[in-house]
Amino acid sequence: MRIGRLDTPVLIQKKSVSTNNDYGGETITWIDHSRGWAGITDVTTRMQESTVFDLRQLKQPCKIVMRYDTTITADMRVVVLDESNRILQIVTKPAVIGRREAIEFMAHDYSVENG
């Protein structure tokens, strides 16, 4: 089975949450998990829009295909290491393609505007 062109360098990051004991708040940092190559395809030209706290969020869904890796989960994100420097939040559990040849998952590219 051919999994397509994996022509985009990416960095997978996992979330690390620490609690601030003084105020009870949480601090989220992103830790590098792995690097690799991916095939990234925007799913549609239509963006999905939502508003949170008077900020308009535009979500551009895309499909990502990578070599088989069981350590990638839906609570991670993908940083595209090219001129775009996109940060994509993984939104689905990775599905196995073929006989452990690749994984495929959906991600959203967020942009935020004042509304």
Side-chain angles (χ1 to χ4, degrees):
M1 168 180 244
R2 294 187 53 143
I3 59 175
R5 289 182 21 175
L6 306 181
D7 58 358
T8 306
V10 295
L11 170 65
I12 306 296
Q13 294 181 324
K14 60 183 173 183
K15 187 187 304 187
S16 174
V17 179
S18 59
T19 303
N20 182 339
N21 292 332
D22 296 339
Y23 304 106
E26 293 181 339
T27 302
I28 298 173
T29 55
W30 291 92
I31 299 169
D32 294 353
H33 174 71
S34 63
R35 289 179 183 261
W37 292 85
I40 301 175
T41 307
D42 289 331
V43 174
T44 178
T45 57
R46 185 185 83 233
M47 293 189 179
Q48 300 170 351
E49 181 179 330
S50 63
T51 304
V52 178
F53 301 116
D54 282 338
L55 294 175
R56 189 170 70 140
Q57 288 185 333
L58 300 173
K59 294 186 265 186
Q60 173 65 52
C62 61
K63 177 179 76 169
I64 299 176
V65 177
M66 296 182 68
R67 297 245 176 251
Y68 181 75
D69 184 347
T70 59
T71 64
I72 297 175
T73 61
D75 60 347
M76 295 180 173
R77 73 180 187 180
V78 177
V79 179
V80 181
L81 301 174
D82 65 5
E83 63 277 352
S84 70
N85 289 324
R86 293 167 68 184
I87 297 176
L88 306 169
Q89 185 64 47
I90 299 174
V91 295
T92 62
K93 177 182 172 190
V96 178
I97 297 176
R99 295 183 173 207
R100 298 183 184 154
E101 295 168 8
I103 55 172
E104 176 181 284
F105 51 88
M106 297 297 294
H108 282 165
D109 184 1
Y110 288 96
S111 68
V112 178
E113 300 176 357
N114 288 326

